[in-house]
């Protein structure tokens, strides 16, 4: 039995309701008395002509006329269908479905015929060779079943042309109407023409059946996307109330969860039935909803996960030992500032799945707990898994090296730290190795590490200060004064070095934040690689007696002034941290956080992350990297233009600096399509012309820029005029 629901928008004037096609009376299929004739057609019987019978109401008369012959008498039309003789039942579709092995449609057709013809009994052998179907009608059904509705109508027209007495059965015509309407509904749904979906469904309620649950799903989607979620819930409710297929019921709630808010799913979840295993049929979906809620709580501005969601996920994770769920619970506890609970979940995850992802979570929790020694050990096997794992390993290594009081590291531990630092060319951990060596009274080794750190990151003030301290220890006053000259304006402690009571041979407090024994502080480093040039560097050798401690310099704040590993943050939090680092002019560290934010499921977050990553690379002078980053996620038109202008500006400057003046001009020409050139870029253009011996163009631009009072153009103007005079002689 098929059940039909009519669900449509009130604005269309259609009232939601329910009816049963299989329970329709004949009165619902025949016109009422006086409304005109009703045609009933059937296929040709074997060996005989087709029957075309017209039933019409008799004319009014005071007394009924005596019948002339029983077979030709027309019964009066009423609200119930008079049962036709059995030989008038069109069994073509029934036998066709049987031959096709389409059991579902065969049973549906059998129910339909029984409702139409109560005295009819189905043939005992639907596959009997004694029944000879009309091949033309069989062909029509074949075309219909193949979805070729136009072909089926063409076949009907051809049959009628060949046999004027042929009238296609009501079922075939109705099936074609529904098939075409269903195709329109699906096409409109695929094209996101939701108003059309609702209109078709309102006019063809027979499409909305449990046999065609996909149509109901599409209608619900159309309602949800036209700001009518109440009607969408009605459609989903109908499926869960009337349809029996377990897989379709589960899929119904899955689809609803993609379109409705969590609170709107409550009424649908209440329609859950017991499963064959004794659990509710939606138990897995309830768990998935809890999992989604916990994951969403880690996003930027995410709602805190409800305790019942965490409890449900925790119970399932304990039973299944699912590493992904265990890790998710760990990150949720990190977000709730409960690093100790997080450590427990991550330890279980590492036992269940010894992977980089599990180690990453556990190391983050250990760093929050102030245990960098264990964190370094956990990450050691995964340090080269990918850039993010390398960065976290170096976070742990930097925190371990800076522990106060200093601890003497085993040779294998120190060796793998050095190897990873050299491979990653990580400036921050290099300067931590410098301070470690300085504290163990190895100023020469310390100076090598500080020098290397500055080579990898020229603006790293702690490395410059460390080099000053190590040089002072070695009695190299010239280097001390050189550093003071270069850095004095930027660093008060460098400018005042030697003027305080601090003993110069001991390492002053290092400015890098150190991991305090509280879950709110995590050490981190920047890991942007630079040119592959690498000096010969002496590895640190540990002595037994440490020198005076350098102090912790720690902070309890989690602001971006402190170092927080990008991998320990949610995508949204990493995005905010990246922008904060950009404000502090620390683009190299911001790169890691923007890359983490690009992993977000939110298109807005990924867009902002791509924009920020491009700006960070531009500030680092890496125009090509910036261009790649800009394509990592869609950005707004305004942002795209801003990035293009900045990237082309950087490319022009870079090309000019390496003497590729033609490429510099090409970049400037492309930039000019988006924005006028500033005086500095006009001057660069003029110098590019000058170096290409295009002195006339060079002089013209220099003169125009010099007229604005831009001093750098004056020297260029003089050079261009001198070159022009020399060329004319």
């Amino acid at each position: 039995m098929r059940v039909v629901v009519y669900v449509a928008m009130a604005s269309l004037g259609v009232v939601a309701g329910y009816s049963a096609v299989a329970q329709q009376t004949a009165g619902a299929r025949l016109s009422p008395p006086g409304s005109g004739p009703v045609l009933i057609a059937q296929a040709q019987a074997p060996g005989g002509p087709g029957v075309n019978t017209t039933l019409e109401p008799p004319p009014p008369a005071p007394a009924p006329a005596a019948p002339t012959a029983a077979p030709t008498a027309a019964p009066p039309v009423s609200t119930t269908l008079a049962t036709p003789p059995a030989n008038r039942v069109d069994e073509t579709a029934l036998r066709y479905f049987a031959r096709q092995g389409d059991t579902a449609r065969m049973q549906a057709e059998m129910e339909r015929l029984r409702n139409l013809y109560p005295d009819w009994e189905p043939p005992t052998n639907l596959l009997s060779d004694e029944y000879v179907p009309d091949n033309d009608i069989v062909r029509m059904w074949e075309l219909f079943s193949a979805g070729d509705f136009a072909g089926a109508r063409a076949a009907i027209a051809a049959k009628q042309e060949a046999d004027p007495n042929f009238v296609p059965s009501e079922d075939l015509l109705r099936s074609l109407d529904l098939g075409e309407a269903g195709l329109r509904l699906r096409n409109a749904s695929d094209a996101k023409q939701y108003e059309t979906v609702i209109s078709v469904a309102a006019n063809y309620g027979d499409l909305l059946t449990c046999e065609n649950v996909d149509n109901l799903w599409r209608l619900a989607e159309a309602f949800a996307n036209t700001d009518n979620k109440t009607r969408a819930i009605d459609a989903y409710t109908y499926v869960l109330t009337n349809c029996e297929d377990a897989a379709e019921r589960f899929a119904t709630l899955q689809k609803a969860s993609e379109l409705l808010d969590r609170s709107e799913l409550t009424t649908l979840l209440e329609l859950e039935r017991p499963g064959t295993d004794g659990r509710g049929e939606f138990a897995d979906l309830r768990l998935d909803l809890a999992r989604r809620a916990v994951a969403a709580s880690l996003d930027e501005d995410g709602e805190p996960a409800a305790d019942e969601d965490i409890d449900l996920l925790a119970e399932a994770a304990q039973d299944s030992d699912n590493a992904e769920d265990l890790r998710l619970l760990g990150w949720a506890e990190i977000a709730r500032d409960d690093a100790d609970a997080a450590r427990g979940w991550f330890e279980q995850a590492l036992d269940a799945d010894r992977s980089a992802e599990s180690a990453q979570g556990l190391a983050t929790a250990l760093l929050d707990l102030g245990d960098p020694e264990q964190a370094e050990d956990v990450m050691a096997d995964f340090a080269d898994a990918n850039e993010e794992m390398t960065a976290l390993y170096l976070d742990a290594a930097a925190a371990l090296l800076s522990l106060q009081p200093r601890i003497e590291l085993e040779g294998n531990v120190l060796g793998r730290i050095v190897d990873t630092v050299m491979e990653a060319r990580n400036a921050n951990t290099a300067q931590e190795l410098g301070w470690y060596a300085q504290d163990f009274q190895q100023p020469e080794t310390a100076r090598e590490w500080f020098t290397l750190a500055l080579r990898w990151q020229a603006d790293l003030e702690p490395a410059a200060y460390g080099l000053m301290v190590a040089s002072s220890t070695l009695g190299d006053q010239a280097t001390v004064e050189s550093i003071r000259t270069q850095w004095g304006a930027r660093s008060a402690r460098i400018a005042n070095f030697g003027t305080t009571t601090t003993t110069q041979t001991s390492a002053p407090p290092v400015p890098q934040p150190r991991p305090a024994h509280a879950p709110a502080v995590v050490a981190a480093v920047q890991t942007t690689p630079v040119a592959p040039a690498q000096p010969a560097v002496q590895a640190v050798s540990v002595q037994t007696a440490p020198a005076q401690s350098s102090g912790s310099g720690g902070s309890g704040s989690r602001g971006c002034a402190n170092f927080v590993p990008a991998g320990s943050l949610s995508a949204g939090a990493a995005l905010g941290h990246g922008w904060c680092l950009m404000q502090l002019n620390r683009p190299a560290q911001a790169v890691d956080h923007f890359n983490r934010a690009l992993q977000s499921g939110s298109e807005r977050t990924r867009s902002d992350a791509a924009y920020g990553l491009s700006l960070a690379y531009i500030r680092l002078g890496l125009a090509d990297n910036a261009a790649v980053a800009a394509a990592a996620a869609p950005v707004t038109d305004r942002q795209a233009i801003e990035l293009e202008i900045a990237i082309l500006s950087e490319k022009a400057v870079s090309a000019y600096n390496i003497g590729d003046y033609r490429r510099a001009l090409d970049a400037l020409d492309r930039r000019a399509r988006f924005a006028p050139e500033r005086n500095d870029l006009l001057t660069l253009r003029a110098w590019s012309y000058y170096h290409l011996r295009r002195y006339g163009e060079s002089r013209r631009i220099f003169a125009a820029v010099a007229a604005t009072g831009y001093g750098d153009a004056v020297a260029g103007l003089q050079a261009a005029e001198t070159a022009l005079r020399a060329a004319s002689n």
Side-chain angles (χ1 to χ4, degrees), residues 20-178:
V21 170
Q23 296 175 352
Q24 286 180 336
T25 63
R29 290 187 174 272
L30 295 176
S31 300
S35 64
V38 176
L39 300 179
I40 302 176
Q42 73 175 47
Q44 294 181 356
V51 179
N52 183 8
T53 304
T54 301
L55 299 180
E56 56 184 7
T68 57
T72 60
V77 177
S78 65
T79 57
T80 58
L81 178 66
T83 303
N87 63 359
R88 297 185 57 184
V89 176
D90 183 358
E91 299 173 353
T92 305
L94 180 65
R95 292 180 181 273
Y96 172 74
F97 296 142
R99 291 177 182 274
Q100 293 295 312
D102 191 343
T103 306
R105 296 197 66 183
M106 181 186 73
Q107 291 294 338
E109 177 67 7
M110 195 176 294
E111 289 294 331
R112 187 185 72 82
L113 292 175
R114 279 175 172 156
N115 283 316
L116 286 175
Y117 310 105
D119 294 336
W120 172 80
E121 290 295 332
T124 56
N125 185 359
L126 291 172
L127 302 178
S128 172
D129 293 334
E130 296 178 1
Y131 175 77
V132 181
D134 186 318
N135 289 329
D136 291 336
I137 296 178
V138 170
R139 177 60 179 160
M140 295 172 197
W141 282 106
E142 287 176 344
L143 291 168
F144 167 79
S145 296
D148 186 0
F149 307 128
R153 290 198 182 277
I156 292 173
K159 177 74 172 175
Q160 288 176 324
E161 184 176 357
D163 180 5
N165 292 323
F166 170 73
V167 177
S169 69
E170 177 188 352
D171 182 56
L172 177 58
L173 293 177
R174 179 61 178 165
S175 296
L176 282 172
D177 284 343
L178 288 176

Side-chain angles (χ1 to χ4, degrees), residues 223-224 227-234 236-237 240 253 255-271 289:
F223 280 134
D227 297 324
N228 201 342
K229 289 190 176 182
T230 301
R231 305 308 294 275
I233 294 172
D234 288 344
Y236 290 130
T237 299
L240 297 177
L253 200 56
K255 291 179 178 294
S257 69
E258 297 296 331
L259 295 170
L260 303 177
D261 295 333
R262 181 79 178 274
S263 60
E264 294 169 327
L265 295 175
T266 303
T267 57
L268 300 180
L269 288 167
E270 291 173 353
L271 299 174
L289 290 171

Side-chain angles (χ1 to χ4, degrees), residues 108 132 168 180 191 211 220-222 273 283 303 351 546 572 600 619 671 676:
V132 181
E180 291 164 342
E211 296 171 359
E221 179 188 20
R273 299 175 182 176
E303 293 276 340
D351 289 340
S600 172
R619 196 172 295 182
R671 183 191 181 282

Side-chain angles (χ1 to χ4, degrees), residues 321 323-324 327 348-359 382:
D321 227 19
E324 289 188 6
R327 287 192 291 265
Q348 290 187 57
L350 193 62
D351 289 340
D353 174 32
R354 187 167 179 77
S355 64
E357 291 77 11
S358 298
F382 306 99

Side-chain angles (χ1 to χ4, degrees), residues 296-309:
S297 71
L298 302 179
D299 287 338
E300 182 181 14
D301 300 326
E303 293 276 340
D307 288 340
E308 53 266 29
D309 286 330

